[in-house]
Amino acid sequence: MKDWLTRIAAWSAIAISAGSALHAEPLKVVATFSILGDFAAAVGGERIALRTLVGPDSDAHVYEPRPSDAIALARADVILTNGLEFEGFMSRLIAASGTEAPITVLTEGVESMEEPGGGHYHYVDGRAIFHAGAHDPHAWQSVANAKVYVGNIAAAFCDADASGCQSYEANAAAYLADLDALDGEIRSAIAALPGDRRTVVVAHNAFRYFETAYGVTFLSPQGVSTESEAAAADVAGLIRQIRETGAGAIFAENISDTRLLEQIGREAGMALAGTLYSDALSGPEGPASTYLAMMRHNTAALATALAAQ
């Protein structure tokens, strides 16, 4: 772990010396994680060669970069990041790579939400890991924010490849129309739910933008300790909240360990209702292989669980 920056820097120097002058087609694009990669593919189409650092069903919070990642950054024409301190590894990787590519922060222009307590917990291998940050980075969980991401990507691609700008803008316009349709679908599905059946429990606090945009309340074990197991008082407090709010379902997340949620479910008398996709897409054979599919899957899972009596 301690020498990864040294190894990455060495490989980056090789990559840069190999020639990073004028880029040839296709545009070389690096996106930090799968959701951003999907946006980039939709806008770039066949004009880009895309590399995504953190792949499907993988947690960017705990990702450890590899030398090949630095080589990709060193050779890139455009680098796409989420920002809001989501990719904790990225500033060090950029420095180690020596890249001269512009860094596009896709949350630029998004009205970000503050993180309660200065961060949130997520769960890996049964451990609660604290992700510190002043702002909630999960802005893509609102379709309106996803449209900002897409606009920022189109602008970045046009800046890097003026001859392809018309193509990027056309692709972005078509995708924005798909996002408008998606937003309407989500609003209709949630509006059809009873007003007292709109609260669920999830593994970590990743859905606050969805909550604000669409009116579903998400509870999570936000305040648990960072020890290997949550304290009994923490779990008891969440169970009281579940009962007080009448939470209708409890969901696993594709990037999170399920053991804590299973424990909470047993205590609250609730079985897991399924899996929501928060910080990563599924693999190509899964139900959330694109952003559009992810949001439709999550909405359908919520609607099905909360409509049940």
Side-chain angles (χ1 to χ4, degrees):
M1 175 72 178
K2 66 180 180 180
D3 65 341
W4 71 266
L5 283 174
T6 302
R7 292 185 289 110
I8 282 174
W11 279 100
S12 303
I14 294 171
I16 292 173
S17 65
S20 58
L22 295 175
H23 71 76
E25 295 289 357
L27 195 69
K28 295 182 287 295
V29 177
V30 175
T32 50
F33 64 105
S34 57
I35 294 169
L36 303 194
D38 185 59
F39 291 151
V43 175
E46 295 182 354
R47 292 190 66 90
I48 69 169
L50 175 66
R51 173 165 180 140
T52 301
L53 300 183
V54 186
D57 292 317
S58 296
D59 188 354
H61 292 294
V62 296
Y63 183 71
E64 295 183 11
R66 299 166 294 180
S68 60
D69 296 333
I71 294 173
L73 262 63
R75 294 175 174 169
D77 301 309
V78 177
I79 298 171
L80 305 175
T81 72
N82 185 76
L84 300 179
E85 303 179 63
F86 182 69
E87 306 99 333
F89 63 89
M90 199 60 188
S91 60
R92 292 170 296 154
L93 179 60
I94 289 169
S97 74
T99 185
E100 298 179 357
I103 312 299
T104 299
V105 179
L106 297 184
T107 51
E108 187 70 34
V110 166
E111 187 174 343
S112 62
M113 303 175 68
E114 291 188 3
E115 279 275 35
H120 63 270
Y121 288 90
H122 58 112
Y123 301 89
V124 179
D125 298 329
R127 295 184 62 243
I129 299 173
F130 187 71
H131 174 75
H135 298 278
D136 186 337
H138 307 90
W140 61 84
Q141 288 292 345
S142 157
V143 176
N145 289 340
K147 293 171 66 175
V148 176
Y149 283 47
V150 170
N152 288 337
I153 290 170
F157 289 177
C158 284
D159 286 346
D161 176 23
S163 65
C165 188
Q166 186 174 0
S167 174
Y168 301 135
E169 289 180 341
N171 290 343
Y175 191 63
L176 289 172
D178 291 340
L179 290 175
D180 283 335
L182 172 66
D183 187 68
E185 291 173 25
I186 296 172
R187 293 184 186 282
S188 295
I190 302 306
L193 294 172
D196 61 350
R197 295 280 299 174
R198 298 187 185 181
T199 300
V200 299
V201 182
V202 290
H204 88 296
N205 210 8
F207 295 94
R208 293 173 65 233
Y209 290 93
F210 190 105
E211 177 175 316
T212 299
Y214 303 114
V216 174
T217 298
F218 292 85
L219 307 178
S220 68
Q222 176 75 15
V224 301
S225 67
T226 55
E227 300 301 321
S228 60
E229 295 184 3
D234 295 318
V235 174
L238 179 58
I239 291 168
R240 283 195 302 272
Q241 194 176 14
I242 290 170
R243 291 170 177 161
E244 289 169 1
T245 59
I250 183 168
F251 285 94
E253 292 176 40
N254 64 318
I255 64 162
S256 296
D257 189 281
T258 63
R259 282 175 284 182
L260 177 59
L261 284 181
E262 289 169 349
Q263 176 189 351
I264 292 168
R266 286 192 298 270
E267 296 281 349
M270 302 168 68
L272 292 181
T275 299
L276 300 181
Y277 290 78
S278 54
D279 295 7
L281 302 177
S282 71
E285 304 302 319
S289 59
T290 67
Y291 176 78
L292 297 174
M294 179 188 82
M295 296 297 282
R296 288 190 172 107
H297 166 86
N298 287 352
T299 301
L302 291 167
T304 298
L306 294 177
Q309 296 297 321

